[in-house]
Amino acid sequence: MTKIKLRLFIIPILTLLASNHVLGQITSKEVDALVTNAMGKFNVAGVAVAIVKDGKIIHEKGYGIKSIDTKLPVDNHTNFEIASNSKAFTTAALSILVDEGKLSWTDKVKKYIPEFKMYNDYVTENFTIKDLLCHRSGLGLGVGDLMMFPDGTDFTIKDVVTSFQHFTPASGFRTQFDYDNQLYLVAGEVTARVSGMTWEAFIQKRIMEPLQMQNSFSSINQVKDMSAMALPHSSESGSIKKYHYMEP
């Protein structure tokens, strides 16, 4: 399997904008220079930047290109796949359900997904909603990712929720941080079963629509104008290479 690192970088602007003193002095031209410098250091094809102060957008602009093939420029409406930043939306979705009293962070996962199984009975019976999100399951880094990467696998969510019983833990339950993707899929399934709508529909209806995120989508299948999409790129090999969209 080819190892692909999706580089999600935070431009140094954020540090500069941390104080009102600096914010009062920086200009759009200086932001342009900072972004251009960061793009060169991180070797990326394109980026869109928005700066919001006191509820108002004070800078909104695209830099670079959407694809090294088409050379089409990034603008302030270009869509990017945000990869693991989607986890924040999953956590926000569960938070909404907690606020509405439809579940609790300390509820056991088996309450909503009876077929859920971990690597031993104790962990299975005591695994909570919070545990799904905290990367402390006891399983090693990236366990189960081959069920989702690369594209072309045919595993379903039913396979995922019962798969953890087949992995050997790398540490004690709740004793160590090991980054995880698959348990966030389970968290999305909890969202679906509690709300009665798919994860994608919940994110769109309960988060994006109320916030008037009219140019954002919870699934690439919802994008009607693919010309507005930036292709994923990687510079891990030293030069920028394009990749296909991720459609897990």
Side-chain angles (χ1 to χ4, degrees):
M1 170 177 150
T2 301
K3 184 179 179 183
I4 300 172
K5 291 183 180 178
L6 297 177
R7 297 174 179 262
L8 306 171
F9 72 89
I10 301 174
I11 296 175
I13 298 169
L14 299 180
T15 303
L16 289 173
L17 296 183
S19 72
N20 288 332
H21 175 72
V22 175
L23 228 160
Q25 299 179 29
I26 195 166
T27 66
S28 285
K29 286 187 177 181
E30 288 171 315
V31 172
D32 291 345
L34 284 167
V35 174
T36 301
N37 181 54
M39 288 179 65
K41 287 184 175 180
F42 284 93
N43 197 18
V44 298
V47 59
V49 175
I51 301 173
V52 180
K53 182 178 185 297
D54 299 331
K56 294 182 179 179
I57 298 173
I58 61 173
H59 183 90
E60 185 180 21
K61 190 174 179 180
Y63 302 85
I65 55 178
K66 299 176 185 178
S67 165
I68 58 174
D69 284 349
T70 67
K71 302 294 193 295
L72 291 173
V74 172
D75 61 28
N76 55 327
H77 295 298
T78 299
N79 290 113
F80 293 81
E81 289 190 307
I82 63 171
S84 283
N85 285 324
S86 301
K87 290 180 171 68
F89 285 82
T90 299
T91 305
L94 289 172
S95 298
I96 290 171
L97 296 173
V98 168
D99 287 346
E100 293 176 347
K102 295 179 179 177
L103 58 79
S104 167
W105 295 118
T106 56
D107 282 347
K108 306 299 190 292
V109 175
K110 280 182 66 68
K111 177 179 178 179
Y112 305 101
I113 307 179
E115 65 272 33
F116 176 74
K117 287 185 179 181
M118 291 297 290
Y119 46 84
N120 68 43
D121 291 342
Y122 176 83
V123 176
T124 297
E125 296 300 325
N126 289 278
F127 213 85
T128 66
I129 303 300
K130 186 190 296 186
D131 289 323
L132 290 173
L133 310 174
C134 292
H135 307 284
R136 58 182 191 180
S137 68
L139 295 173
L141 172 67
V143 158
D145 279 357
L146 288 176
M147 298 178 72
M148 185 167 60
F149 305 111
D151 290 342
T153 58
D154 58 359
F155 291 101
T156 67
I157 190 63
K158 292 181 180 179
D159 297 316
V160 172
V161 298
T162 60
S163 67
F164 307 102
Q165 63 184 304
H166 303 297
F167 296 110
T168 301
S171 62
F173 182 37
R174 297 176 183 159
T175 65
Q176 179 174 304
F177 179 96
D178 280 295
Y179 192 81
D180 177 85
N181 289 306
Q182 301 305 307
L183 288 168
Y184 265 82
L185 296 183
V186 180
E189 179 66 7
V190 171
T191 302
R193 296 198 187 188
V194 173
S195 68
M197 62 180 79
T198 64
W199 179 90
E200 291 83 357
F202 189 95
I203 299 302
Q204 202 78 35
K205 183 176 179 61
R206 300 299 308 278
I207 298 179
M208 291 182 174
E209 289 180 12
L211 292 175
Q212 300 181 40
M213 297 171 67
Q214 298 171 351
N215 295 309
S216 297
F217 307 94
S218 58
S219 168
I220 194 171
N221 296 325
Q222 297 170 357
V223 179
K224 296 179 180 178
D225 180 12
M226 291 301 291
S227 68
M229 287 285 295
L231 269 172
H233 295 79
S234 172
S235 57
E236 185 178 13
S237 64
S239 60
I240 298 177
K241 295 182 179 180
K242 70 169 185 176
Y243 290 92
H244 296 294
Y245 298 116
M246 294 172 60
E247 301 182 42

mmCIF file with all atom_site columns, all heavy atoms in Angstrom, residues 31 44 62 116 129 147 182 184 220:
data_model
loop_
_atom_site.group_PDB
_atom_site.id
_atom_site.type_symbol
_atom_site.label_atom_id
_atom_site.label_alt_id
_atom_site.label_comp_id
_atom_site.label_asym_id
_atom_site.label_entity_id
_atom_site.label_seq_id
_atom_site.pdbx_PDB_ins_code
_atom_site.Cartn_x
_atom_site.Cartn_y
_atom_site.Cartn_z
_atom_site.occupancy
_atom_site.B_iso_or_equiv
_atom_site.pdbx_formal_charge
_atom_site.auth_seq_id
_atom_site.auth_comp_id
_atom_site.auth_asym_id
_atom_site.auth_atom_id
_atom_site.pdbx_PDB_model_num
ATOM 1  N N   . VAL A 1 31  ? -0.558  39.479 4.508  1.00 0.00 ? 31  VAL A N   1
ATOM 2  C CA  . VAL A 1 31  ? -1.131  38.137 4.561  1.00 0.00 ? 31  VAL A CA  1
ATOM 3  C C   . VAL A 1 31  ? -0.741  37.365 3.300  1.00 0.00 ? 31  VAL A C   1
ATOM 4  O O   . VAL A 1 31  ? -0.341  36.207 3.371  1.00 0.00 ? 31  VAL A O   1
ATOM 5  C CB  . VAL A 1 31  ? -2.664  38.187 4.701  1.00 0.00 ? 31  VAL A CB  1
ATOM 6  C CG1 . VAL A 1 31  ? -3.259  36.788 4.562  1.00 0.00 ? 31  VAL A CG1 1
ATOM 7  C CG2 . VAL A 1 31  ? -3.064  38.781 6.045  1.00 0.00 ? 31  VAL A CG2 1
ATOM 8  N N   . VAL A 1 44  ? 3.031   23.027 -1.236 1.00 0.00 ? 44  VAL A N   1
ATOM 9  C CA  . VAL A 1 44  ? 1.656   22.653 -1.539 1.00 0.00 ? 44  VAL A CA  1
ATOM 10 C C   . VAL A 1 44  ? 1.194   23.330 -2.823 1.00 0.00 ? 44  VAL A C   1
ATOM 11 O O   . VAL A 1 44  ? 1.727   24.361 -3.232 1.00 0.00 ? 44  VAL A O   1
ATOM 12 C CB  . VAL A 1 44  ? 0.692   23.026 -0.389 1.00 0.00 ? 44  VAL A CB  1
ATOM 13 C CG1 . VAL A 1 44  ? 1.067   22.285 0.887  1.00 0.00 ? 44  VAL A CG1 1
ATOM 14 C CG2 . VAL A 1 44  ? 0.686   24.526 -0.143 1.00 0.00 ? 44  VAL A CG2 1
ATOM 15 N N   . GLY A 1 62  ? -8.077  32.902 -2.364 1.00 0.00 ? 62  GLY A N   1
ATOM 16 C CA  . GLY A 1 62  ? -7.457  31.651 -2.762 1.00 0.00 ? 62  GLY A CA  1
ATOM 17 C C   . GLY A 1 62  ? -6.056  31.889 -3.278 1.00 0.00 ? 62  GLY A C   1
ATOM 18 O O   . GLY A 1 62  ? -5.763  32.965 -3.833 1.00 0.00 ? 62  GLY A O   1
ATOM 19 N N   . PHE A 1 116 ? -21.446 -4.369 18.579 1.00 0.00 ? 116 PHE A N   1
ATOM 20 C CA  . PHE A 1 116 ? -20.098 -3.817 18.744 1.00 0.00 ? 116 PHE A CA  1
ATOM 21 C C   . PHE A 1 116 ? -19.253 -4.727 19.628 1.00 0.00 ? 116 PHE A C   1
ATOM 22 O O   . PHE A 1 116 ? -19.664 -5.148 20.704 1.00 0.00 ? 116 PHE A O   1
ATOM 23 C CB  . PHE A 1 116 ? -20.197 -2.424 19.378 1.00 0.00 ? 116 PHE A CB  1
ATOM 24 C CG  . PHE A 1 116 ? -18.880 -1.783 19.697 1.00 0.00 ? 116 PHE A CG  1
ATOM 25 C CD1 . PHE A 1 116 ? -18.084 -1.268 18.689 1.00 0.00 ? 116 PHE A CD1 1
ATOM 26 C CD2 . PHE A 1 116 ? -18.441 -1.681 21.015 1.00 0.00 ? 116 PHE A CD2 1
ATOM 27 C CE1 . PHE A 1 116 ? -16.864 -0.661 18.982 1.00 0.00 ? 116 PHE A CE1 1
ATOM 28 C CE2 . PHE A 1 116 ? -17.230 -1.072 21.319 1.00 0.00 ? 116 PHE A CE2 1
ATOM 29 C CZ  . PHE A 1 116 ? -16.445 -0.562 20.303 1.00 0.00 ? 116 PHE A CZ  1
ATOM 30 N N   . ILE A 1 129 ? -19.161 6.201  24.710 1.00 0.00 ? 129 ILE A N   1
ATOM 31 C CA  . ILE A 1 129 ? -19.167 7.134  23.579 1.00 0.00 ? 129 ILE A CA  1
ATOM 32 C C   . ILE A 1 129 ? -17.892 7.974  23.605 1.00 0.00 ? 129 ILE A C   1
ATOM 33 O O   . ILE A 1 129 ? -17.252 8.198  22.576 1.00 0.00 ? 129 ILE A O   1
ATOM 34 C CB  . ILE A 1 129 ? -20.407 8.045  23.631 1.00 0.00 ? 129 ILE A CB  1
ATOM 35 C CG1 . ILE A 1 129 ? -21.698 7.227  23.646 1.00 0.00 ? 129 ILE A CG1 1
ATOM 36 C CG2 . ILE A 1 129 ? -20.400 9.023  22.464 1.00 0.00 ? 129 ILE A CG2 1
ATOM 37 C CD1 . ILE A 1 129 ? -21.901 6.347  22.449 1.00 0.00 ? 129 ILE A CD1 1
ATOM 38 N N   . MET A 1 147 ? -9.020  -1.510 6.080  1.00 0.00 ? 147 MET A N   1
ATOM 39 C CA  . MET A 1 147 ? -10.421 -1.742 5.716  1.00 0.00 ? 147 MET A CA  1
ATOM 40 C C   . MET A 1 147 ? -10.964 -0.574 4.898  1.00 0.00 ? 147 MET A C   1
ATOM 41 O O   . MET A 1 147 ? -11.988 -0.700 4.227  1.00 0.00 ? 147 MET A O   1
ATOM 42 C CB  . MET A 1 147 ? -11.272 -1.927 6.975  1.00 0.00 ? 147 MET A CB  1
ATOM 43 C CG  . MET A 1 147 ? -10.874 -3.132 7.816  1.00 0.00 ? 147 MET A CG  1
ATOM 44 S SD  . MET A 1 147 ? -11.865 -3.283 9.315  1.00 0.00 ? 147 MET A SD  1
ATOM 45 C CE  . MET A 1 147 ? -13.437 -3.805 8.613  1.00 0.00 ? 147 MET A CE  1
ATOM 46 N N   . GLN A 1 182 ? -10.872 4.199  12.679 1.00 0.00 ? 182 GLN A N   1
ATOM 47 C CA  . GLN A 1 182 ? -12.035 3.324  12.572 1.00 0.00 ? 182 GLN A CA  1
ATOM 48 C C   . GLN A 1 182 ? -13.082 3.564  13.660 1.00 0.00 ? 182 GLN A C   1
ATOM 49 O O   . GLN A 1 182 ? -14.287 3.446  13.409 1.00 0.00 ? 182 GLN A O   1
ATOM 50 C CB  . GLN A 1 182 ? -11.587 1.860  12.590 1.00 0.00 ? 182 GLN A CB  1
ATOM 51 C CG  . GLN A 1 182 ? -10.620 1.478  11.475 1.00 0.00 ? 182 GLN A CG  1
ATOM 52 C CD  . GLN A 1 182 ? -11.154 1.812  10.094 1.00 0.00 ? 182 GLN A CD  1
ATOM 53 O OE1 . GLN A 1 182 ? -12.256 1.427  9.741  1.00 0.00 ? 182 GLN A OE1 1
ATOM 54 N NE2 . GLN A 1 182 ? -10.383 2.539  9.316  1.00 0.00 ? 182 GLN A NE2 1
ATOM 55 N N   . TYR A 1 184 ? -13.917 6.300  14.882 1.00 0.00 ? 184 TYR A N   1
ATOM 56 C CA  . TYR A 1 184 ? -14.717 7.462  14.489 1.00 0.00 ? 184 TYR A CA  1
ATOM 57 C C   . TYR A 1 184 ? -15.822 7.067  13.510 1.00 0.00 ? 184 TYR A C   1
ATOM 58 O O   . TYR A 1 184 ? -16.874 7.714  13.447 1.00 0.00 ? 184 TYR A O   1
ATOM 59 C CB  . TYR A 1 184 ? -13.823 8.565  13.914 1.00 0.00 ? 184 TYR A CB  1
ATOM 60 C CG  . TYR A 1 184 ? -13.434 9.571  14.972 1.00 0.00 ? 184 TYR A CG  1
ATOM 61 C CD1 . TYR A 1 184 ? -12.385 9.320  15.845 1.00 0.00 ? 184 TYR A CD1 1
ATOM 62 C CD2 . TYR A 1 184 ? -14.134 10.759 15.131 1.00 0.00 ? 184 TYR A CD2 1
ATOM 63 C CE1 . TYR A 1 184 ? -12.035 10.219 16.834 1.00 0.00 ? 184 TYR A CE1 1
ATOM 64 C CE2 . TYR A 1 184 ? -13.798 11.673 16.109 1.00 0.00 ? 184 TYR A CE2 1
ATOM 65 C CZ  . TYR A 1 184 ? -12.754 11.394 16.967 1.00 0.00 ? 184 TYR A CZ  1
ATOM 66 O OH  . TYR A 1 184 ? -12.421 12.300 17.956 1.00 0.00 ? 184 TYR A OH  1
ATOM 67 N N   . ILE A 1 220 ? -18.502 13.843 -0.876 1.00 0.00 ? 220 ILE A N   1
ATOM 68 C CA  . ILE A 1 220 ? -18.108 14.260 -2.220 1.00 0.00 ? 220 ILE A CA  1
ATOM 69 C C   . ILE A 1 220 ? -19.215 13.968 -3.230 1.00 0.00 ? 220 ILE A C   1
ATOM 70 O O   . ILE A 1 220 ? -19.313 14.614 -4.278 1.00 0.00 ? 220 ILE A O   1
ATOM 71 C CB  . ILE A 1 220 ? -16.794 13.558 -2.634 1.00 0.00 ? 220 ILE A CB  1
ATOM 72 C CG1 . ILE A 1 220 ? -16.187 14.243 -3.865 1.00 0.00 ? 220 ILE A CG1 1
ATOM 73 C CG2 . ILE A 1 220 ? -17.015 12.066 -2.878 1.00 0.00 ? 220 ILE A CG2 1
ATOM 74 C CD1 . ILE A 1 220 ? -14.799 13.768 -4.206 1.00 0.00 ? 220 ILE A CD1 1
#
